[in-house]
């Protein structure tokens, strides 16, 4: 193999192992063994397990961000944007199962920091601008757009994590239900929502 081919082979092997066992559960010994090379070869190309992992995560993040950004930037009716975004994430999961498993295994959406949560935050920022324009047109307070952007993107991301293992129903059906909940909810937003059913002591 050329140096470039060996590097790609090591990345492929490592990607499978990280998806199976996570970062902590994978060792340089296992990477070398599965690639049928000696440990020094792994160190020569990446400097260690951390270096391999960093390259894999960066590639996955760039690919996922490109898919989601493409769905958001194409334009069109807001409902179609939500549809495309949901489908883009589910398609990425379907075609890059190992990659998505790596992202969410070591950086769950629920964590305040981490690669996947940071990516979701970036996408939410893009969605925020789209929602703010729609809120403005409908006389809703634009100051609440960041809240709804986080909720909308978070709902899609968490559903994607569930679908990573469930895989049923198909991605188009899951996307349709996501849009059903999110879009129909957005359609009926109240300008000044209030909680109901609070205990009498809390309401006074």
């Amino acid at each position: 193999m050329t140096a470039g081919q060996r590097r790609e082979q090591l990345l492929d092997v490592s990607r499978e192992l990280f998806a199976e066992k996570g970062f902590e559960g994978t060792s340089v010994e296992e990477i070398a063994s599965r690639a049928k090379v000696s440990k020094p070869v792994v160190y020569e190309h990446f400097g260690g397990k951390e270096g391999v992992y960093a390259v894999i995560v960066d590639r996955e993040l760039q690919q996922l961000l490109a898919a989601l950004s493409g769905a958001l930037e194409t334009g069109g009716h807001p409902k179609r944007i939500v549809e495309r975004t949901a489908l883009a994430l589910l398609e990425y999961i379907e075609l890059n199962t190992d990659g998505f498993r790596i992202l969410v295994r070591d950086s769950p959406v629920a964590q305040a920091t981490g690669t996947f949560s940071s990516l979701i935050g970036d996408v939410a920022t893009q969605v925020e601008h789209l929602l703010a324009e729609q809120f403005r047109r409908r006389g809703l307070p634009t100051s609440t757009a960041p809240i709804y952007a986080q909720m909308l993107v978070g709902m899609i991301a968490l559903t994607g994590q569930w679908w990573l293992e469930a895989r049923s129903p198909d991605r188009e059906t899951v996307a349709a239900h996501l849009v059903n909940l999110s879009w129909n909810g957005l359609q009926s937003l109240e300008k000044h929502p209030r909680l109901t059913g609070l205990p009498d002591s809390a309401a006074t």
Side-chain angles (χ1 to χ4, degrees), residues 98-149:
D98 282 352
F100 189 72
R101 186 167 280 120
I102 290 168
L103 294 180
V104 300
R105 179 195 292 272
D106 292 312
S107 297
V109 173
Q111 290 185 355
T113 60
T115 53
F116 185 61
S117 59
S118 298
L119 171 65
I120 293 303
D122 291 342
V123 173
T125 299
Q126 296 184 54
V127 172
E128 176 186 328
H129 298 303
L130 296 170
L131 287 181
E133 177 59 27
Q134 291 301 312
F135 283 15
R136 188 177 298 109
R137 291 179 183 179
R138 298 171 59 185
L140 297 169
T142 57
S143 60
T144 61
I147 302 173
Y148 287 96

Side-chain angles (χ1 to χ4, degrees), residues 14-22 26 53 56 102 105:
S14 301
R15 189 171 182 266
E16 292 176 359
L17 284 168
F18 287 136
E20 291 172 15
K21 302 183 176 184
T26 301
Y53 184 78
I56 291 171
I102 290 168
R105 179 195 292 272

